[in-house]
PDB file of all heavy atoms in Angstrom:
ATOM      1  N   THR R1232       0.846  -1.212  -0.010  1.00 38.00           N
ATOM      2  CA  THR R1232       0.058   0.042   0.021  1.00 38.00           C
ATOM      3  C   THR R1232       0.873   1.222  -0.055  1.00 38.00           C
ATOM      4  O   THR R1232       0.488   2.343  -0.569  1.00 38.00           O
ATOM      5  CB  THR R1232      -0.906   0.063   1.211  1.00 38.00           C
ATOM      6  OG1 THR R1232      -1.718  -1.199   1.232  1.00 38.00           O
ATOM      7  CG2 THR R1232      -1.805   1.194   1.247  1.00 38.00           C
ATOM      8  N   ASP R1233       1.981   1.111   0.621  1.00 39.00           N
ATOM      9  CA  ASP R1233       2.947   2.321   0.704  1.00 39.00           C
ATOM     10  C   ASP R1233       3.830   2.447  -0.545  1.00 39.00           C
ATOM     11  O   ASP R1233       4.738   3.279  -0.651  1.00 39.00           O
ATOM     12  CB  ASP R1233       3.787   2.240   1.960  1.00 39.00           C
ATOM     13  CG  ASP R1233       2.920   2.238   3.169  1.00 39.00           C
ATOM     14  OD1 ASP R1233       1.863   2.902   3.236  1.00 39.00           O
ATOM     15  OD2 ASP R1233       3.370   1.627   4.201  1.00 39.00           O
ATOM     16  N   MET R1234       3.691   1.548  -1.562  1.00 40.00           N
ATOM     17  CA  MET R1234       4.576   1.574  -2.683  1.00 40.00           C
ATOM     18  C   MET R1234       3.882   2.128  -3.905  1.00 40.00           C
ATOM     19  O   MET R1234       2.629   2.021  -4.007  1.00 40.00           O
ATOM     20  CB  MET R1234       5.125   0.054  -2.937  1.00 40.00           C
ATOM     21  CG  MET R1234       5.891  -0.458  -1.925  1.00 40.00           C
ATOM     22  SD  MET R1234       6.314  -2.218  -2.334  1.00 40.00           S
ATOM     23  CE  MET R1234       7.069  -2.016  -3.884  1.00 40.00           C
ATOM     24  N   ASN R1235       4.651   2.758  -4.733  1.00 43.00           N
ATOM     25  CA  ASN R1235       4.114   3.022  -6.078  1.00 43.00           C
ATOM     26  C   ASN R1235       4.567   1.938  -6.968  1.00 43.00           C
ATOM     27  O   ASN R1235       5.707   1.837  -7.411  1.00 43.00           O
ATOM     28  CB  ASN R1235       4.780   4.383  -6.619  1.00 43.00           C
ATOM     29  CG  ASN R1235       4.200   4.740  -7.942  1.00 43.00           C
ATOM     30  OD1 ASN R1235       3.570   3.988  -8.621  1.00 43.00           O
ATOM     31  ND2 ASN R1235       4.561   5.993  -8.330  1.00 43.00           N
ATOM     32  N   ASP R1236       3.552   1.044  -7.354  1.00 66.00           N
ATOM     33  CA  ASP R1236       3.957  -0.210  -8.058  1.00 66.00           C
ATOM     34  C   ASP R1236       4.106   0.053  -9.555  1.00 66.00           C
ATOM     35  O   ASP R1236       4.125  -0.963 -10.250  1.00 66.00           O
ATOM     36  CB  ASP R1236       2.925  -1.311  -7.734  1.00 66.00           C
ATOM     37  CG  ASP R1236       1.474  -0.917  -8.062  1.00 66.00           C
ATOM     38  OD1 ASP R1236       1.293   0.057  -8.815  1.00 66.00           O
ATOM     39  OD2 ASP R1236       0.558  -1.494  -7.376  1.00 66.00           O
ATOM     40  N   SER R1237       4.115   1.221 -10.018  1.00 86.00           N
ATOM     41  CA  SER R1237       4.315   1.538 -11.337  1.00 86.00           C
ATOM     42  C   SER R1237       5.690   2.146 -11.663  1.00 86.00           C
ATOM     43  O   SER R1237       6.191   2.271 -12.742  1.00 86.00           O
ATOM     44  CB  SER R1237       3.263   2.378 -11.947  1.00 86.00           C
ATOM     45  OG  SER R1237       2.023   1.857 -11.927  1.00 86.00           O
ATOM     46  N   TYR R1238       6.312   2.616 -10.561  1.00 91.00           N
ATOM     47  CA  TYR R1238       7.703   3.344 -10.705  1.00 91.00           C
ATOM     48  C   TYR R1238       8.602   2.608  -9.741  1.00 91.00           C
ATOM     49  O   TYR R1238       8.450   2.290  -8.660  1.00 91.00           O
ATOM     50  CB  TYR R1238       7.381   4.860 -10.202  1.00 91.00           C
ATOM     51  CG  TYR R1238       8.763   5.534  -9.976  1.00 91.00           C
ATOM     52  CD1 TYR R1238       9.394   5.981 -11.187  1.00 91.00           C
ATOM     53  CD2 TYR R1238       9.325   5.704  -8.842  1.00 91.00           C
ATOM     54  CE1 TYR R1238      10.621   6.712 -11.066  1.00 91.00           C
ATOM     55  CE2 TYR R1238      10.620   6.319  -8.749  1.00 91.00           C
ATOM     56  CZ  TYR R1238      11.238   6.866  -9.831  1.00 91.00           C
ATOM     57  OH  TYR R1238      12.406   7.487  -9.704  1.00 91.00           O
ATOM     58  N   PHE R1239       9.836   2.438 -10.425  1.00 92.00           N
ATOM     59  CA  PHE R1239      10.898   1.810  -9.668  1.00 92.00           C
ATOM     60  C   PHE R1239      12.225   2.478  -9.943  1.00 92.00           C
ATOM     61  O   PHE R1239      12.457   2.796 -11.117  1.00 92.00           O
ATOM     62  CB  PHE R1239      10.996   0.264 -10.094  1.00 92.00           C
ATOM     63  CG  PHE R1239       9.825  -0.488  -9.944  1.00 92.00           C
ATOM     64  CD1 PHE R1239       8.834  -0.433 -10.954  1.00 92.00           C
ATOM     65  CD2 PHE R1239       9.497  -1.254  -8.833  1.00 92.00           C
ATOM     66  CE1 PHE R1239       7.705  -1.256 -10.924  1.00 92.00           C
ATOM     67  CE2 PHE R1239       8.364  -1.986  -8.734  1.00 92.00           C
ATOM     68  CZ  PHE R1239       7.459  -1.980  -9.754  1.00 92.00           C
ATOM     69  N   LEU R1240      13.049   2.730  -8.925  1.00 94.00           N
ATOM     70  CA  LEU R1240      14.366   3.233  -9.136  1.00 94.00           C
ATOM     71  C   LEU R1240      15.296   2.045  -8.804  1.00 94.00           C
ATOM     72  O   LEU R1240      15.338   1.543  -7.670  1.00 94.00           O
ATOM     73  CB  LEU R1240      14.641   4.475  -8.121  1.00 94.00           C
ATOM     74  CG  LEU R1240      16.091   5.001  -8.092  1.00 94.00           C
ATOM     75  CD1 LEU R1240      16.382   5.466  -9.477  1.00 94.00           C
ATOM     76  CD2 LEU R1240      16.175   6.001  -7.046  1.00 94.00           C
ATOM     77  N   VAL R1241      16.150   1.703  -9.716  1.00 96.00           N
ATOM     78  CA  VAL R1241      17.022   0.602  -9.589  1.00 96.00           C
ATOM     79  C   VAL R1241      18.275   0.901  -8.685  1.00 96.00           C
ATOM     80  O   VAL R1241      18.882   1.877  -8.895  1.00 96.00           O
ATOM     81  CB  VAL R1241      17.563   0.135 -10.909  1.00 96.00           C
ATOM     82  CG1 VAL R1241      18.385  -1.182 -10.754  1.00 96.00           C
ATOM     83  CG2 VAL R1241      16.421  -0.171 -11.960  1.00 96.00           C
ATOM     84  N   GLU R1242      18.298   0.170  -7.709  1.00 93.00           N
ATOM     85  CA  GLU R1242      19.342   0.393  -6.637  1.00 93.00           C
ATOM     86  C   GLU R1242      20.766   0.244  -7.187  1.00 93.00           C
ATOM     87  O   GLU R1242      20.924  -0.475  -8.198  1.00 93.00           O
ATOM     88  CB  GLU R1242      19.054  -0.400  -5.370  1.00 93.00           C
ATOM     89  CG  GLU R1242      17.673  -0.209  -4.750  1.00 93.00           C
ATOM     90  CD  GLU R1242      17.238  -1.478  -3.906  1.00 93.00           C
ATOM     91  OE1 GLU R1242      18.053  -2.374  -3.804  1.00 93.00           O
ATOM     92  OE2 GLU R1242      16.116  -1.387  -3.436  1.00 93.00           O
ATOM     93  N   GLU R1243      21.734   0.608  -6.421  1.00 94.00           N
ATOM     94  CA  GLU R1243      23.131   0.458  -6.759  1.00 94.00           C
ATOM     95  C   GLU R1243      23.444  -1.063  -6.729  1.00 94.00           C
ATOM     96  O   GLU R1243      22.961  -1.813  -5.981  1.00 94.00           O
ATOM     97  CB  GLU R1243      24.055   1.157  -5.709  1.00 94.00           C
ATOM     98  CG  GLU R1243      25.557   1.183  -6.005  1.00 94.00           C
ATOM     99  CD  GLU R1243      26.286   1.936  -5.021  1.00 94.00           C
ATOM    100  OE1 GLU R1243      25.740   2.542  -4.129  1.00 94.00           O
ATOM    101  OE2 GLU R1243      27.662   1.872  -5.154  1.00 94.00           O
ATOM    102  N   ASN R1244      24.353  -1.454  -7.676  1.00 95.00           N
ATOM    103  CA  ASN R1244      24.747  -2.894  -7.888  1.00 95.00           C
ATOM    104  C   ASN R1244      23.540  -3.813  -8.058  1.00 95.00           C
ATOM    105  O   ASN R1244      23.531  -5.010  -7.554  1.00 95.00           O
ATOM    106  CB  ASN R1244      25.522  -3.250  -6.710  1.00 95.00           C
ATOM    107  CG  ASN R1244      26.847  -2.563  -6.534  1.00 95.00           C
ATOM    108  OD1 ASN R1244      27.613  -2.262  -7.544  1.00 95.00           O
ATOM    109  ND2 ASN R1244      27.161  -2.131  -5.316  1.00 95.00           N
ATOM    110  N   SER R1245      22.527  -3.334  -8.688  1.00 96.00           N
ATOM    111  CA  SER R1245      21.248  -4.106  -8.832  1.00 96.00           C
ATOM    112  C   SER R1245      20.805  -4.000 -10.305  1.00 96.00           C
ATOM    113  O   SER R1245      21.132  -3.138 -11.070  1.00 96.00           O
ATOM    114  CB  SER R1245      20.183  -3.664  -7.844  1.00 96.00           C
ATOM    115  OG  SER R1245      20.574  -3.792  -6.576  1.00 96.00           O
ATOM    116  N   ILE R1246      19.788  -4.868 -10.600  1.00 97.00           N
ATOM    117  CA  ILE R1246      19.223  -4.823 -11.998  1.00 97.00           C
ATOM    118  C   ILE R1246      17.708  -5.097 -11.741  1.00 97.00           C
ATOM    119  O   ILE R1246      17.273  -5.615 -10.709  1.00 97.00           O
ATOM    120  CB  ILE R1246      19.696  -5.948 -12.873  1.00 97.00           C
ATOM    121  CG1 ILE R1246      19.618  -7.335 -12.295  1.00 97.00           C
ATOM    122  CG2 ILE R1246      21.067  -5.564 -13.375  1.00 97.00           C
ATOM    123  CD1 ILE R1246      19.950  -8.405 -13.172  1.00 97.00           C
ATOM    124  N   PHE R1247      16.916  -4.552 -12.663  1.00 97.00           N
ATOM    125  CA  PHE R1247      15.453  -4.650 -12.690  1.00 97.00           C
ATOM    126  C   PHE R1247      15.091  -5.671 -13.806  1.00 97.00           C
ATOM    127  O   PHE R1247      15.583  -5.446 -14.980  1.00 97.00           O
ATOM    128  CB  PHE R1247      14.734  -3.370 -12.912  1.00 97.00           C
ATOM    129  CG  PHE R1247      13.265  -3.407 -12.814  1.00 97.00           C
ATOM    130  CD1 PHE R1247      12.665  -3.179 -11.504  1.00 97.00           C
ATOM    131  CD2 PHE R1247      12.383  -3.754 -13.849  1.00 97.00           C
ATOM    132  CE1 PHE R1247      11.235  -3.310 -11.374  1.00 97.00           C
ATOM    133  CE2 PHE R1247      11.069  -3.821 -13.749  1.00 97.00           C
ATOM    134  CZ  PHE R1247      10.463  -3.581 -12.447  1.00 97.00           C
ATOM    135  N   VAL R1248      14.453  -6.787 -13.421  1.00 96.00           N
ATOM    136  CA  VAL R1248      14.256  -7.873 -14.436  1.00 96.00           C
ATOM    137  C   VAL R1248      12.738  -8.121 -14.558  1.00 96.00           C
ATOM    138  O   VAL R1248      11.950  -7.972 -13.697  1.00 96.00           O
ATOM    139  CB  VAL R1248      15.050  -9.200 -14.054  1.00 96.00           C
ATOM    140  CG1 VAL R1248      16.513  -8.838 -13.991  1.00 96.00           C
ATOM    141  CG2 VAL R1248      14.456  -9.700 -12.777  1.00 96.00           C
ATOM    142  N   MET R1249      12.343  -8.601 -15.842  1.00 94.00           N
ATOM    143  CA  MET R1249      10.967  -8.990 -16.062  1.00 94.00           C
ATOM    144  C   MET R1249      11.068 -10.143 -17.046  1.00 94.00           C
ATOM    145  O   MET R1249      11.998 -10.413 -17.729  1.00 94.00           O
ATOM    146  CB  MET R1249      10.189  -7.821 -16.646  1.00 94.00           C
ATOM    147  CG  MET R1249      10.068  -6.649 -15.769  1.00 94.00           C
ATOM    148  SD  MET R1249       9.298  -5.219 -16.577  1.00 94.00           S
ATOM    149  CE  MET R1249       7.540  -5.735 -16.460  1.00 94.00           C
ATOM    150  N   GLY R1250       9.936 -10.962 -17.010  1.00 93.00           N
ATOM    151  CA  GLY R1250       9.760 -12.101 -17.965  1.00 93.00           C
ATOM    152  C   GLY R1250       9.102 -11.620 -19.131  1.00 93.00           C
ATOM    153  O   GLY R1250       8.323 -10.640 -19.190  1.00 93.00           O
ATOM    154  N   ASP R1251       9.401 -12.206 -20.305  1.00 93.00           N
ATOM    155  CA  ASP R1251       8.864 -11.853 -21.623  1.00 93.00           C
ATOM    156  C   ASP R1251       7.348 -12.210 -21.659  1.00 93.00           C
ATOM    157  O   ASP R1251       6.562 -11.600 -22.344  1.00 93.00           O
ATOM    158  CB  ASP R1251       9.562 -12.517 -22.732  1.00 93.00           C
ATOM    159  CG  ASP R1251      11.052 -11.968 -22.934  1.00 93.00           C
ATOM    160  OD1 ASP R1251      11.356 -10.938 -22.259  1.00 93.00           O
ATOM    161  OD2 ASP R1251      11.674 -12.499 -23.820  1.00 93.00           O
ATOM    162  N   ASN R1252       6.958 -13.220 -20.809  1.00 90.00           N
ATOM    163  CA  ASN R1252       5.546 -13.631 -20.790  1.00 90.00           C
ATOM    164  C   ASN R1252       5.001 -12.828 -19.559  1.00 90.00           C
ATOM    165  O   ASN R1252       4.848 -13.353 -18.463  1.00 90.00           O
ATOM    166  CB  ASN R1252       5.379 -15.053 -20.585  1.00 90.00           C
ATOM    167  CG  ASN R1252       3.971 -15.492 -20.526  1.00 90.00           C
ATOM    168  OD1 ASN R1252       3.052 -14.824 -20.838  1.00 90.00           O
ATOM    169  ND2 ASN R1252       3.719 -16.812 -19.987  1.00 90.00           N
ATOM    170  N   ARG R1253       4.714 -11.620 -19.819  1.00 85.00           N
ATOM    171  CA  ARG R1253       4.425 -10.608 -18.649  1.00 85.00           C
ATOM    172  C   ARG R1253       3.168 -11.036 -17.786  1.00 85.00           C
ATOM    173  O   ARG R1253       3.125 -10.662 -16.671  1.00 85.00           O
ATOM    174  CB  ARG R1253       4.252  -9.197 -19.235  1.00 85.00           C
ATOM    175  CG  ARG R1253       5.461  -8.658 -19.852  1.00 85.00           C
ATOM    176  CD  ARG R1253       6.551  -8.272 -18.860  1.00 85.00           C
ATOM    177  NE  ARG R1253       7.786  -8.309 -19.426  1.00 85.00           N
ATOM    178  CZ  ARG R1253       8.363  -7.229 -20.022  1.00 85.00           C
ATOM    179  NH1 ARG R1253       7.629  -6.036 -20.150  1.00 85.00           N
ATOM    180  NH2 ARG R1253       9.531  -7.224 -20.586  1.00 85.00           N
ATOM    181  N   ASN R1254       2.254 -11.830 -18.342  1.00 82.00           N
ATOM    182  CA  ASN R1254       1.108 -12.181 -17.427  1.00 82.00           C
ATOM    183  C   ASN R1254       1.327 -13.554 -16.779  1.00 82.00           C
ATOM    184  O   ASN R1254       0.534 -13.874 -16.016  1.00 82.00           O
ATOM    185  CB  ASN R1254      -0.163 -12.313 -18.417  1.00 82.00           C
ATOM    186  CG  ASN R1254      -1.446 -12.327 -17.625  1.00 82.00           C
ATOM    187  OD1 ASN R1254      -1.515 -11.497 -16.659  1.00 82.00           O
ATOM    188  ND2 ASN R1254      -2.317 -13.077 -17.932  1.00 82.00           N
ATOM    189  N   GLY R1255       2.544 -13.987 -16.948  1.00 83.00           N
ATOM    190  CA  GLY R1255       2.862 -15.339 -16.238  1.00 83.00           C
ATOM    191  C   GLY R1255       4.287 -15.308 -15.808  1.00 83.00           C
ATOM    192  O   GLY R1255       5.021 -16.268 -15.795  1.00 83.00           O
ATOM    193  N   SER R1256       4.686 -14.209 -15.146  1.00 87.00           N
ATOM    194  CA  SER R1256       6.024 -14.025 -14.728  1.00 87.00           C
ATOM    195  C   SER R1256       6.122 -13.394 -13.292  1.00 87.00           C
ATOM    196  O   SER R1256       5.627 -12.298 -13.108  1.00 87.00           O
ATOM    197  CB  SER R1256       6.944 -13.241 -15.664  1.00 87.00           C
ATOM    198  OG  SER R1256       8.223 -12.901 -15.160  1.00 87.00           O
ATOM    199  N   ASP R1257       6.763 -14.010 -12.361  1.00 86.00           N
ATOM    200  CA  ASP R1257       7.093 -13.392 -11.084  1.00 86.00           C
ATOM    201  C   ASP R1257       8.511 -12.836 -11.308  1.00 86.00           C
ATOM    202  O   ASP R1257       9.437 -13.429 -11.624  1.00 86.00           O
ATOM    203  CB  ASP R1257       7.152 -14.469  -9.949  1.00 86.00           C
ATOM    204  CG  ASP R1257       5.806 -15.067  -9.635  1.00 86.00           C
ATOM    205  OD1 ASP R1257       4.824 -14.269  -9.788  1.00 86.00           O
ATOM    206  OD2 ASP R1257       5.697 -16.237  -9.470  1.00 86.00           O
ATOM    207  N   ASP R1258       8.608 -11.451 -11.136  1.00 89.00           N
ATOM    208  CA  ASP R1258       9.828 -10.762 -11.408  1.00 89.00           C
ATOM    209  C   ASP R1258       9.920  -9.566 -10.491  1.00 89.00           C
ATOM    210  O   ASP R1258       9.416  -9.447  -9.435  1.00 89.00           O
ATOM    211  CB  ASP R1258       9.833 -10.452 -12.902  1.00 89.00           C
ATOM    212  CG  ASP R1258       8.612  -9.828 -13.506  1.00 89.00           C
ATOM    213  OD1 ASP R1258       8.051  -8.866 -12.765  1.00 89.00           O
ATOM    214  OD2 ASP R1258       8.139 -10.128 -14.414  1.00 89.00           O
ATOM    215  N   SER R1259      10.713  -8.543 -10.955  1.00 92.00           N
ATOM    216  CA  SER R1259      11.089  -7.366 -10.153  1.00 92.00           C
ATOM    217  C   SER R1259       9.799  -6.534  -9.864  1.00 92.00           C
ATOM    218  O   SER R1259       9.928  -5.715  -8.928  1.00 92.00           O
ATOM    219  CB  SER R1259      12.135  -6.475 -10.855  1.00 92.00           C
ATOM    220  OG  SER R1259      13.323  -7.166 -10.808  1.00 92.00           O
ATOM    221  N   ARG R1260       8.662  -6.732 -10.444  1.00 89.00           N
ATOM    222  CA  ARG R1260       7.558  -6.050 -10.147  1.00 89.00           C
ATOM    223  C   ARG R1260       6.950  -6.483  -8.768  1.00 89.00           C
ATOM    224  O   ARG R1260       6.152  -5.839  -8.086  1.00 89.00           O
ATOM    225  CB  ARG R1260       6.394  -6.190 -11.201  1.00 89.00           C
ATOM    226  CG  ARG R1260       6.732  -5.641 -12.459  1.00 89.00           C
ATOM    227  CD  ARG R1260       5.710  -6.069 -13.571  1.00 89.00           C
ATOM    228  NE  ARG R1260       5.897  -7.540 -13.910  1.00 89.00           N
ATOM    229  CZ  ARG R1260       5.031  -8.169 -14.685  1.00 89.00           C
ATOM    230  NH1 ARG R1260       4.004  -7.601 -15.248  1.00 89.00           N
ATOM    231  NH2 ARG R1260       5.330  -9.418 -14.945  1.00 89.00           N
ATOM    232  N   ASP R1261       7.417  -7.742  -8.364  1.00 85.00           N
ATOM    233  CA  ASP R1261       6.978  -8.340  -7.157  1.00 85.00           C
ATOM    234  C   ASP R1261       7.987  -7.845  -5.979  1.00 85.00           C
ATOM    235  O   ASP R1261       9.231  -8.132  -6.188  1.00 85.00           O
ATOM    236  CB  ASP R1261       7.119  -9.836  -7.282  1.00 85.00           C
ATOM    237  CG  ASP R1261       6.614 -10.678  -6.108  1.00 85.00           C
ATOM    238  OD1 ASP R1261       6.631 -10.059  -4.911  1.00 85.00           O
ATOM    239  OD2 ASP R1261       6.236 -11.829  -6.260  1.00 85.00           O
ATOM    240  N   ALA R1262       7.545  -7.237  -4.944  1.00 82.00           N
ATOM    241  CA  ALA R1262       8.403  -6.671  -3.988  1.00 82.00           C
ATOM    242  C   ALA R1262       9.169  -7.723  -3.311  1.00 82.00           C
ATOM    243  O   ALA R1262      10.205  -7.432  -2.726  1.00 82.00           O
ATOM    244  CB  ALA R1262       7.547  -5.982  -2.900  1.00 82.00           C
ATOM    245  N   ARG R1263       8.803  -8.911  -3.339  1.00 80.00           N
ATOM    246  CA  ARG R1263       9.521 -10.026  -2.606  1.00 80.00           C
ATOM    247  C   ARG R1263      10.902 -10.293  -3.460  1.00 80.00           C
ATOM    248  O   ARG R1263      11.809 -10.660  -2.770  1.00 80.00           O
ATOM    249  CB  ARG R1263       8.733 -11.394  -2.705  1.00 80.00           C
ATOM    250  CG  ARG R1263       9.337 -12.516  -1.905  1.00 80.00           C
ATOM    251  CD  ARG R1263       8.494 -13.677  -1.976  1.00 80.00           C
ATOM    252  NE  ARG R1263       9.122 -14.808  -1.220  1.00 80.00           N
ATOM    253  CZ  ARG R1263       8.970 -14.999   0.054  1.00 80.00           C
ATOM    254  NH1 ARG R1263       8.273 -14.221   0.839  1.00 80.00           N
ATOM    255  NH2 ARG R1263       9.558 -16.002   0.630  1.00 80.00           N
ATOM    256  N   LEU R1264      10.901 -10.050  -4.733  1.00 85.00           N
ATOM    257  CA  LEU R1264      12.198 -10.095  -5.428  1.00 85.00           C
ATOM    258  C   LEU R1264      12.726  -8.651  -5.643  1.00 85.00           C
ATOM    259  O   LEU R1264      13.863  -8.430  -5.308  1.00 85.00           O
ATOM    260  CB  LEU R1264      11.954 -10.719  -6.854  1.00 85.00           C
ATOM    261  CG  LEU R1264      13.144 -10.770  -7.771  1.00 85.00           C
ATOM    262  CD1 LEU R1264      14.256 -11.703  -7.107  1.00 85.00           C
ATOM    263  CD2 LEU R1264      12.917 -11.228  -9.131  1.00 85.00           C
ATOM    264  N   GLY R1265      11.892  -7.761  -6.147  1.00 88.00           N
ATOM    265  CA  GLY R1265      12.354  -6.425  -6.330  1.00 88.00           C
ATOM    266  C   GLY R1265      13.562  -6.271  -7.305  1.00 88.00           C
ATOM    267  O   GLY R1265      13.804  -7.066  -8.172  1.00 88.00           O
TER     268      GLY R1265
END
């Protein structure tokens, strides 16, 4: 609830990743992975 789930700032020494099958992928949009 406290997060803006449409905007992400990639942290130092990190990458933001997503799956090509966007409707069937657990990825950086999920706060558990981030």
Side-chain angles (χ1 to χ4, degrees):
T1232 303
D1233 297 329
M1234 296 175 58
N1235 180 349
D1236 54 23
S1237 295
Y1238 171 81
F1239 305 85
L1240 175 61
V1241 185
E1242 303 161 1
E1243 186 178 357
N1244 297 319
S1245 299
I1246 55 176
F1247 187 92
V1248 298
M1249 299 173 76
D1251 290 356
N1252 182 18
R1253 296 287 160 83
N1254 198 41
S1256 173
D1257 293 321
D1258 47 45
S1259 289
R1260 293 170 292 173
D1261 185 336
R1263 188 177 178 88
L1264 179 65

